[in-house]
Amino acid sequence: MTATRDDGRVPIIAVAAAVFLVGSQFYTDLAGLSAQAVPFVLVVPPWAAWSLFALLVSSGGYCSWRAFRSGGIGAATPVPLAIVCSGAVTCAVMGFDPPRSLGAVLLLALACGMHAVTVRFFPIPRFASIVFTAFLGVGIAASLAALIMEDERMPMVLALVNNDRAAGLFTTPNQFAAFLVTFVAGGVAVGFGASRPWLRVLGWTSVGVGLVSMWATYSRGGWIGLAVGALAFTLFTRAWRGALAVVVLSVAVGFLAFGNDRHHESGDAYSRVPAMQAGMTTFELFPLFGVGPAAYDRVHPAVRPATAGAEASFASLHPHNIVLSLLAEEGVVGFAIVAFAIVLFVRAFHARLHGAPPARRRAAFALGAGLVGTLGHGMVDLVAVAEITFVWVPFSALALAVAAHGVPE
């Protein structure tokens, strides 16, 4: 699709895509809608969680409607999102809690609508600036709020549960760190690729705020993700000396941040071992279709090792490994479909960068590196279904769009 003449109007489709992208970053707050006693503190009341859910449904629904109206999701993107959703539906129906799983698949389908319209409408005037300004602007505000809340220890219960680690509206420091991996990547992309000076300033400001915030999370998984993303970016751009610098800097930061760490429980790192064992056991018991999206906690009490901690832990929600999480919830069927989609995305991403100018290549590589960084983080954390829905699907759209068009504003 070619860009149209700028008539000065704000495109509604850009606003809808931006609302879904921004709102989906706070998906941990949606846990407030669950009847399950969650093992973390929610800083928003139920009505706010319902409002967030309504925003995601309305904005994602509008995006999906526009995608089908303009030719369908399959015609808009090279990523086989319809197959991804179909596989998830099959696994949901075959799982332990079909209603909850189908609810998770609904959000995945809405994310696919946002993906499709982003790829299709990205070149139109103001689309890119609206989406990136909303994402980076809200990200800066949320990050600063998290830093202030951590410094002032408010609310106190949040500070106590998280051992004085910055979490803010993301409710957990690990989820905040997961957001920061793609937030920093988005800032780098805009900093390198935007043509407007104010947008470049916003991008580099986001990078600075993101790095400071990542330090305040004391998230080992987050720093791993950031280091993996930075290393991927240097390798993509063939900055070999930069790759060596990233490795040295990552080791130094890890030593300084976690060498004498008082922000984690002494057995926290070891708790991931039984969590991964439970995930492997779940996959072995249900290898074909898994237990269903978002239904892992239904079977965890029966599969957790005797050495596992109390049920009020994140181990009951996911295996702390994104590969095991996907295998446990969607089996080899879902895993194969997601792997196939990733392969097609990489091929399309590479093809769109053929002959691209340096600024566009750096911007696109930054977003691609951010996705690689989430895989690095995912080796020790993250829930596969949520990560696919709220991170991989939306950000793969931005990566494809920027690879094809740059940041056209």
Side-chain angles (χ1 to χ4, degrees):
M1 178 178 177
T2 59
T4 58
R5 185 163 56 96
D6 189 354
D7 58 5
R9 292 183 296 180
V10 175
I12 297 177
I13 190 60
V15 175
V19 168
F20 188 91
L21 176 65
V22 171
S24 64
Q25 303 310 301
F26 302 93
Y27 62 80
T28 46
D29 289 318
L30 293 176
L33 304 178
S34 173
Q36 176 190 2
V38 293
F40 49 84
V41 178
L42 293 175
V43 296
V44 299
W47 66 263
W50 277 112
S51 298
L52 174 61
F53 182 75
L55 277 175
L56 293 179
V57 171
S58 57
S59 59
Y62 180 76
C63 288
S64 300
W65 174 70
R66 288 292 300 270
F68 282 110
R69 183 183 177 188
S70 59
I73 291 178
T77 174
V79 181
L81 297 177
I83 298 177
V84 172
C85 289
S86 298
V89 168
T90 301
C91 296
V93 173
M94 300 294 292
F96 277 76
D97 193 344
R100 185 202 294 185
S101 295
L102 289 173
V105 177
L106 170 63
L107 290 174
L108 172 61
L110 297 177
C112 291
M114 180 270 176
H115 174 109
V117 298
T118 298
V119 174
R120 178 175 287 274
F121 294 106
F122 191 80
I124 69 175
R126 303 174 186 268
F127 191 104
S129 62
I130 288 173
V131 170
F132 278 117
T133 300
F135 175 63
L136 297 180
V138 172
I140 289 174
S143 298
L144 293 177
L147 291 175
I148 294 172
M149 292 168 68
E150 187 266 340
D151 182 68
E152 299 297 323
R153 306 192 78 192
M154 61 179 195
M156 181 63 71
V157 64
L158 186 68
L160 292 176
V161 168
N162 291 321
N163 292 319
D164 287 327
R165 298 164 62 192
L169 297 176
F170 297 90
T171 73
T172 74
N174 289 335
Q175 178 52 39
F176 185 22
F179 162 78
L180 291 172
V181 172
T182 48
F183 176 65
V184 170
V188 173
V190 171
F192 276 129
S195 58
R196 296 186 179 183
W198 67 268
L199 199 51
R200 292 198 301 272
V201 170
L202 180 64
W204 292 121
T205 300
S206 301
V207 173
V209 171
L211 293 176
V212 173
S213 300
M214 183 67 83
W215 181 276
T217 66
Y218 292 93
S219 171
R220 291 168 290 200
W223 277 110
I224 291 172
L226 202 61
V228 169
L231 181 60
F233 179 75
T234 58
L235 295 177
F236 290 162
T237 56
R238 300 182 180 181
W240 312 120
R241 292 181 180 178
L244 178 61
V246 167
V247 173
V248 173
L249 184 61
S250 299
V251 173
V253 168
F255 178 79
L256 291 174
F258 308 115
N260 186 21
D261 186 11
R262 65 177 180 83
H263 295 276
H264 290 84
E265 299 293 340
S266 58
D268 182 64
Y270 300 100
S271 67
R272 280 169 165 73
V273 175
M276 292 181 183
Q277 290 174 340
M280 180 59 70
T281 300
T282 303
F283 169 59
E284 291 172 350
L285 291 173
F286 309 99
L288 194 57
F289 298 106
V291 299
Y296 179 77
D297 64 302
R298 293 291 303 273
V299 301
H300 179 264
V303 300
R304 72 188 187 101
T307 56
E311 286 302 317
S313 68
F314 282 105
S316 64
L317 299 181
H318 65 102
H320 276 77
N321 179 281
I322 199 164
V323 174
L324 285 178
S325 179
L326 182 57
L327 287 172
E329 295 198 343
E330 296 194 16
V332 293
V333 171
F335 183 86
I337 290 174
V338 171
F340 175 64
I342 292 175
V343 169
L344 293 187
F345 160 74
V346 172
R347 291 176 58 183
F349 181 73
H350 181 267
R352 291 174 183 226
L353 282 174
H354 181 70
R360 189 208 302 177
R361 292 178 67 86
R362 286 194 295 267
F365 281 146
L367 292 169
L371 290 171
V372 175
T374 64
L375 285 175
H377 189 183
M379 292 300 103
V380 294
D381 209 343
L382 305 183
V383 185
V385 174
E387 192 71 5
I388 292 170
T389 300
F390 300 126
V391 179
W392 291 0
V393 169
F395 281 93
S396 63
L398 289 175
L400 288 171
V402 170
H405 308 288
V407 185
E409 318 221 22

